[in-house]
Amino acid sequence: MKAVELFEGIYWVGAEDWDRRLFDSLLPLPEGTSYNAYLVKGEKYTALIDAVDPSKINFLEEHLKEFPKIDFLIANHIEQDHSGLIPFVLEKYPQAQLLITPTAKDLVQSHLHVAENRLRTVADGEKLDLGGRTIRFIHFPWVHWPETMLSYLEEDQILFSCDLFGSHLASSELLVREEPLAIEPAKRYYAEIMMPFRKIIQKNLGKVENLPLKYIAPSHGPIYPRPEFIIQAYKEWIADKPRNLVVIAHVSMHGSTEKMVSHLVQALSLRNVEVRPFNLAVTDVGRLAISLVEAATIIIASPTVLTGLHPLAAEAVFLVNALRPKALFAGFIGSYGWKSRALDQLKTMLDSVRFELFPPVQIKGNPRPTDLAAINNLAEEIYQRHKKVGLI
Ligand code: FEO
């Protein structure tokens, strides 16, 4: 294992994680992931930008064998998949200084137990002169922790963006070669990690757009040799206006709710409203999250279990509430056996989003023609609301 020299004096010292299938014990990783760490050599000083996940310590250790001296360890973000090996690097290079944002100070001390005398906080816009190479620190909070920053290598016009613009994708190619193949992993990453902070990204994206840029080098997934590709994609994802798209997150136990969902899918399709149903019993929640990026309406379809939502539906509602997608409308449909409080439960759970709720269609037992007519009415109402807000 050798460090990869990307450009003269700039190395990739990260690790691919081909087999990882779950992040945070929550997010599916169908294509694995990578932890990118970069080493930048100046005429006087050498800086390491981020580290790798502790599980990949052997990769970092091998890569760093080529570099007897590191003067600065720049930690753009303190989540453990990049920072967990900070103590290891600081021990290996006793002269190295850890550079972080002021907000990160408490985090490196509480999470990593770094001694005060090893760290230095950097201000927004502060520059680090490595000798012939200058790194400018750009505070960019909440992508996706409060302490996050980006590091911009001025002379080479490379932005080391940490999680921002990243993708969970293990690849033998360190640079994006085929943009169409790169977009889905990047969108999945945005949906799962960045979407709750959409408004903050809107506010801060200008700091990146205005930079002369040759490359964006995130800390997960490949490097973008055409930065405008991923910046433009982000601009579309964070924009306020959704698409004429309905996402239906559904689960059924004995088929009644499933009949309602099938009918709604058909009724929406007949009205030229795009619809994507996700059967929660089998779906990859990452694919559901991707669709939430642009959906205008979210429908939760759930039977009633012990008077409440089916647990899989409750999980989907929790996800929607946490990811805070830009959708304008939401609805609830489902069947119950004898009594249900599922709708009340759903309303209580959706406490961080402000969707306009369509009248629910909740029925007892197996749907009758009158129940399916109510589903038709819901489809018509969705169509009319989408039309009214200019999506059709
Ligand atoms: Fe890749 Fe937020 O850590």
XYZ file of all heavy atoms in Angstrom, residues 23 77 79 81-82 144-145 162-163 168 189 193 219-220, ligand 1:
135
model
N -23.770 2.284 7.718
C -23.093 3.414 8.362
C -23.933 3.847 9.553
O -25.165 3.911 9.463
C -22.953 4.566 7.356
C -21.865 5.537 7.717
C -20.549 5.274 7.360
C -22.145 6.690 8.417
C -19.532 6.144 7.690
C -21.136 7.572 8.765
C -19.827 7.299 8.391
N -13.511 18.073 10.300
C -14.757 17.559 10.889
C -14.368 16.527 11.945
O -13.428 15.754 11.745
C -15.558 16.938 9.737
C -16.815 16.233 10.099
N -17.607 16.574 11.162
C -17.455 15.194 9.482
C -18.664 15.769 11.186
N -18.586 14.924 10.195
N -16.316 14.043 13.316
C -16.964 12.730 13.401
C -15.877 11.655 13.253
O -14.895 11.821 12.517
C -18.049 12.564 12.330
C -18.889 11.324 12.605
C -20.173 11.237 11.785
O -20.368 12.056 10.878
O -20.972 10.314 12.066
N -15.262 8.912 11.797
C -14.752 8.281 10.572
C -13.623 9.089 9.940
O -12.917 8.599 9.060
C -15.870 8.012 9.556
C -16.731 9.219 9.262
O -16.927 10.058 10.155
O -17.223 9.334 8.127
N -13.442 10.329 10.394
C -12.299 11.142 9.925
C -11.361 11.520 11.062
O -10.201 11.799 10.837
C -12.796 12.429 9.252
C -13.894 12.177 8.294
N -13.693 11.513 7.105
C -15.231 12.422 8.352
C -14.845 11.375 6.480
N -15.788 11.907 7.211
N -21.877 18.230 8.420
C -23.205 18.209 9.001
C -23.166 18.268 10.533
O -24.166 17.943 11.185
C -23.950 16.923 8.567
C -23.189 15.670 8.966
N -23.716 14.739 9.819
C -21.955 15.230 8.694
C -22.842 13.757 10.014
N -21.776 14.046 9.332
N -22.039 18.634 11.087
C -21.938 18.896 12.524
C -21.690 20.397 12.701
O -21.352 21.091 11.729
C -20.777 18.084 13.130
C -21.064 16.632 13.448
C -22.064 15.858 12.932
C -20.326 15.790 14.346
N -22.000 14.589 13.447
C -20.935 14.516 14.319
C -19.221 15.983 15.162
C -20.478 13.449 15.083
C -18.762 14.910 15.918
C -19.387 13.653 15.887
N -14.414 17.827 3.001
C -14.871 16.853 3.997
C -16.181 16.216 3.565
O -16.328 15.843 2.418
C -14.919 17.453 5.390
S -14.834 16.115 6.623
N -17.171 16.104 4.443
C -18.393 15.380 4.068
C -19.192 16.094 2.965
O -19.906 15.443 2.191
C -19.310 15.223 5.289
C -18.876 14.100 6.221
O -18.010 13.296 5.844
O -19.418 14.045 7.338
N -20.962 7.944 -0.535
C -20.531 6.649 -0.025
C -20.321 5.737 -1.227
O -21.270 5.136 -1.751
C -21.576 6.071 0.931
C -21.532 6.690 2.291
N -20.359 6.853 2.998
C -22.521 7.170 3.093
C -20.616 7.411 4.174
N -21.920 7.624 4.245
N -25.977 10.375 -0.607
C -25.239 10.951 0.522
C -25.871 12.268 0.962
O -26.078 12.517 2.159
C -23.766 11.189 0.121
C -22.903 11.467 1.309
C -22.280 10.435 1.999
C -22.736 12.762 1.786
C -21.518 10.687 3.119
C -21.974 13.018 2.892
C -21.369 11.981 3.565
O -20.626 12.233 4.685
N -27.455 12.583 4.678
C -26.578 13.303 5.612
C -26.815 14.820 5.594
O -26.829 15.469 6.629
C -25.089 13.037 5.275
C -24.809 11.543 5.154
C -24.163 13.710 6.291
C -24.834 10.763 6.434
N -14.294 13.942 1.500
C -13.684 12.913 2.342
C -14.341 11.546 2.192
O -13.896 10.586 2.808
C -13.715 13.353 3.807
O -15.037 13.569 4.195
N -15.404 11.478 1.404
C -15.960 10.179 1.019
C -16.179 10.196 -0.496
O -16.709 11.177 -1.032
C -17.336 9.928 1.653
C -17.331 9.834 3.152
N -16.846 8.747 3.842
C -17.784 10.690 4.096
C -17.002 8.945 5.140
N -17.568 10.120 5.326
Fe -17.910 11.299 7.196
Fe -19.705 13.193 9.230
O -18.400 11.975 8.835
